[in-house]
């Protein structure tokens, strides 16, 4: 067992056993599991989550005899980092999809504004444009455009309500409010996942593969598992998280949060990292 130092989070002294660390690792994994009812929401405000990570990190770093490090903890800690890595990569895929949807919405808002101007001005063939717009826009918007186009005057209540509805849809498409909310939610989760990668993976690099695991692999003779162990050691040194930080999609992920959902129609980032 390992006696813990005081942390700045809980300010207590406790005896950390192998079972306790395995339990803490399991708790962290549940907090980052997208299917769990109780998930981490705000990393900066979640002292409980940080304390769990700190206890795991400290156990890895301060374990006195690294060559005799518990194989069960090694497997679980590595598994946690790998799981966090996979979740982070799934988040970047979601971010890419949200970016595409955001750009599509901005394009639709511009298209709908032009269509509204065409109908308001009673341009030639406005009915044809509205009919074509039915392939893209919802029925309520098409009906509203029809009311505007057929109106004899622009002072009636129906006319004003129709224009108000179309303008509201244009503003919603431009603002992308629901996408912004989703982006912030994913960003919060990814901060927690990054925290695991930085803290736990870095601590793992100082621990050699436990002999128990090596012996198990020798006895089993399964080549695939041997390769897994080699990949474990390679990825953890210098840090397993490196493969994420170097990926194009991760740089695009960081880039989009820096922009904070501007309403420009610039192309997607190329991932150069600037």
């Amino acid at each position: 067992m390992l006696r813990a130092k005081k942390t700045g989070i809980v300010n207590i002294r406790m005896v950390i056993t192998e079972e306790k660390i395995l339990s803490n690792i399991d708790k962290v994994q549940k907090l980052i599991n997208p299917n769990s009812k109780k998930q981490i929401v705000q990393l900066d405000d979640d002292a409980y989550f940080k304390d769990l990570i700190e206890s795991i990190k400290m156990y890895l770093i301060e374990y006195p005899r690294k060559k005799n490090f518990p194989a069960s903890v090694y497997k679980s800690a590595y598994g946690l980092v790998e799981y966090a890595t996979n979740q982070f990569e799934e988040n970047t895929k979601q971010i890419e999809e949200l970016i595409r949807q955001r750009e599509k919405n901005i394009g639709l808002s511009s298209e709908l504004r032009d269509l509204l101007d065409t109908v308001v001005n009673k341009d030639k063939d406005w009915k044809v444009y509205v009919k074509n717009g039915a392939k893209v826009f919802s029925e309520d918007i098409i009906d509203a455009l029809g009311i505007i186009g057929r109106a004899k005057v622009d002072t009636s209540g129906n006319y004003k309500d129709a224009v108000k509805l179309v303008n509201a849809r244009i503003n919603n498409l431009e603002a992308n409010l629901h996408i912004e909310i989703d982006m912030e939610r994913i960003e919060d989760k990814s901060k927690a996942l990054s925290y695991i990668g930085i803290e736990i993976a870095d601590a793992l690099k100082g621990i050699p593969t436990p002999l128990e695991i090596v012996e198990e692999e020798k006895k089993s003779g399964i080549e695939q598992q041997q390769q897994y162990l080699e990949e474990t050691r390679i990825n953890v040194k210098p840090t397993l998280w490196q493969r994420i930080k170097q990926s194009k999609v991760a740089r695009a992920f960081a880039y989009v949060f820096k922009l904070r959902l501007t309403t420009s129609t610039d192309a997607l980032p190329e991932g150069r990292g600037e």
Side-chain angles (χ1 to χ4, degrees):
M1 63 183 178
L2 188 68
R3 185 170 298 278
K5 293 180 179 179
K6 286 186 178 181
T7 69
I9 300 172
V10 294
N11 290 322
I12 63 173
R13 292 185 67 86
M14 62 182 178
V15 176
I16 302 180
T17 64
E18 180 178 337
E19 291 75 18
K20 176 66 176 179
I21 289 301
L22 289 173
S23 174
N24 287 355
I25 292 174
D26 182 65
K27 290 175 182 177
V28 172
Q29 187 143 334
K30 288 179 179 178
L31 286 173
I32 63 175
N33 187 332
N35 298 320
S36 296
K37 293 182 179 179
K38 183 179 180 181
Q39 297 182 43
I40 183 170
V41 178
Q42 293 285 347
L43 173 64
D44 295 338
D45 300 329
D46 201 323
Y48 173 69
F49 177 82
K50 287 184 176 180
D51 186 51
L52 288 174
I53 298 299
E54 180 66 20
S55 70
I56 299 167
K57 175 186 174 183
M58 184 185 62
Y59 188 94
L60 297 174
I61 293 175
E62 297 191 357
Y63 197 86
R65 297 179 299 278
K66 296 293 193 295
K67 291 183 179 180
N68 296 325
F69 193 85
S72 59
V73 176
Y74 181 88
K75 287 180 180 179
S76 294
Y78 177 82
L80 175 63
V81 174
E82 189 70 14
Y83 184 77
T85 300
N86 292 336
Q87 289 298 317
F88 186 94
E89 291 171 345
E90 285 299 315
N91 282 2
T92 60
K93 293 177 183 177
Q94 293 180 39
I95 289 296
E96 284 190 316
E97 180 57 35
L98 288 172
I99 293 173
R100 285 192 289 268
Q101 185 60 53
R102 170 179 171 268
E103 298 304 321
K104 179 181 178 181
N105 287 352
I106 292 174
L108 286 174
S109 70
S110 178
E111 183 178 341
L112 184 55
R113 179 178 285 104
D114 291 342
L115 184 54
L116 176 61
D117 290 341
T118 297
V119 175
V120 168
N121 296 324
K122 305 294 191 296
D123 290 354
K124 183 180 178 180
D125 296 331
W126 69 265
K127 293 182 180 179
V128 176
Y129 289 118
V130 171
K131 183 178 180 180
N132 292 335
K135 301 176 183 177
V136 180
F137 301 107
S138 60
E139 184 177 353
D140 61 335
I141 293 299
I142 298 303
D143 290 344
L145 291 170
I147 292 173
I148 297 169
R150 291 188 297 271
K152 302 299 182 182
V153 295
D154 59 4
T155 56
S156 68
N158 287 342
Y159 181 95
K160 292 180 179 179
D161 288 343
V163 172
K164 184 178 180 180
L165 174 62
V166 176
N167 278 325
R169 188 62 51 82
I170 291 171
N171 291 334
N172 287 339
L173 288 170
E174 285 181 340
N176 286 293
L177 181 59
H178 67 287
I179 291 181
E180 181 177 359
I181 293 173
D182 287 344
M183 295 276 276
E184 290 179 352
R185 174 180 55 81
I186 295 174
E187 179 187 24
D188 289 334
K189 289 183 178 180
S190 292
K191 283 181 179 178
L193 297 171
S194 298
Y195 191 71
I196 293 172
I198 292 170
E199 298 295 322
I200 305 303
D202 190 60
L204 274 170
K205 72 182 181 181
I207 301 175
T209 304
L211 293 177
E212 179 180 335
I213 297 178
V214 176
E215 291 300 322
E216 286 178 1
E217 295 308 319
K218 288 180 179 180
K219 292 179 181 179
S220 66
I222 300 178
E223 182 178 348
Q224 183 177 3
Q225 291 182 346
Q226 290 176 336
Q227 182 180 356
Y228 171 79
L229 287 177
E230 290 302 318
E231 290 175 351
T232 299
R233 300 181 68 181
I234 292 171
N235 287 337
V236 169
K237 298 178 181 180
T239 167
L240 191 150
W241 203 248
Q242 202 66 29
R243 82 171 198 243
I244 294 180
K245 293 193 294 183
Q246 292 175 349
S247 68
K248 176 179 178 179
V249 71
R251 290 194 293 270
F253 177 82
Y255 178 85
V256 72
F257 286 130
K258 184 177 180 181
L259 290 185
R260 285 291 183 179
L261 289 175
T262 60
T263 57
S264 67
T265 56
D266 295 337
L268 293 180
E270 292 297 328
R272 287 186 292 268
E274 286 82 6

